[in-house]
Amino acid sequence: TAVWGTDDSFDLLARVQGQQWSRAYDINDRNVVVGTVMPRNGTAGAVAWPAPHEARWLAGNNTSFRLGEANAVSDAGVIVGFGHAQATDPASAFRWTRGEGMHALSGAQTIAYDVNEAGQAVGLSGSSAVIWEANGTMRGLGNLPGGGASDLQGGRINSRIVAARSSSAR
């Protein structure tokens, strides 16, 4: 995995011991990259690269999230994604901050896909699009009017709106 500069320069991101592969999913304006790393032991985990030469496992000693992905990072350094203790466990969305570490967002079978500068995160709970406020309160986003898709997922969020996606063709 690498990061490219606008001048066509690039840096390879630090490898984690025993790493088979890694994927980057997002980068903020401070050049913090987030994604997932798969070591040879088969336990892919959420990781952040605060600098190209430094990789940080986000779960730390929190075994509830040792498997997972970091999907998005805000410019303030708030990271969201999902994880689980074992591959057979349902996914659980998380929010990570440098000061608080990793903690679960409310809901059942949840995944967080994006976070904005206000700390609001979007994703899904079960098969419903949801938003988590910065304080962790979750609320459903509802269905599209006129019988639209009922399996919406909050995909992206900015300061004003949420872009949702559906897993069913319409």
Side-chain angles (χ1 to χ4, degrees):
T1 305
V3 291
W4 273 263
T6 56
D7 61 354
D8 289 334
S9 65
F10 73 93
D11 285 310
L12 295 175
L13 296 177
R15 293 178 59 82
V16 174
Q17 184 177 5
Q19 174 180 324
Q20 287 185 307
W21 54 262
S22 62
R23 288 194 181 112
Y25 294 121
D26 197 19
I27 185 170
N28 68 11
D29 285 343
R30 295 181 180 188
N31 297 329
V32 174
V33 177
V34 297
T36 189
V37 168
M38 173 68 81
R40 286 185 181 82
N41 68 6
T43 55
V47 67
W49 291 272
H53 62 276
E54 179 186 355
R56 175 180 299 148
W57 288 103
L58 295 177
N61 294 327
N62 187 338
T63 58
S64 297
F65 294 103
R66 70 182 179 134
L67 304 172
E69 296 179 355
N71 290 323
V73 57
S74 72
D75 289 339
V78 177
I79 300 171
V80 298
F82 73 95
H84 22 232
Q86 298 179 32
T88 56
D89 294 342
S92 182
F94 70 77
R95 177 189 316 266
W96 182 95
T97 64
R98 176 172 277 178
E100 297 177 13
M102 187 178 280
H103 63 275
L105 293 171
S106 60
Q109 297 179 8
T110 55
I111 297 175
Y113 289 112
D114 200 15
V115 61
N116 68 13
E117 295 314 310
Q120 296 170 303
V122 293
L124 74 128
S125 178
S127 61
S128 300
V130 297
I131 185 169
W132 290 274
E133 299 298 334
N135 67 8
T137 304
M138 181 183 72
R139 100 183 127 85
L141 294 176
N143 295 324
L144 294 175
S150 61
D151 59 344
L152 291 175
Q153 304 170 13
R156 297 288 175 232
I157 185 170
N158 65 20
S159 63
R160 297 183 323 232
I161 61 172
V162 174
R165 61 186 174 204
S166 172
S167 60
S168 65
R170 180 111 172 113

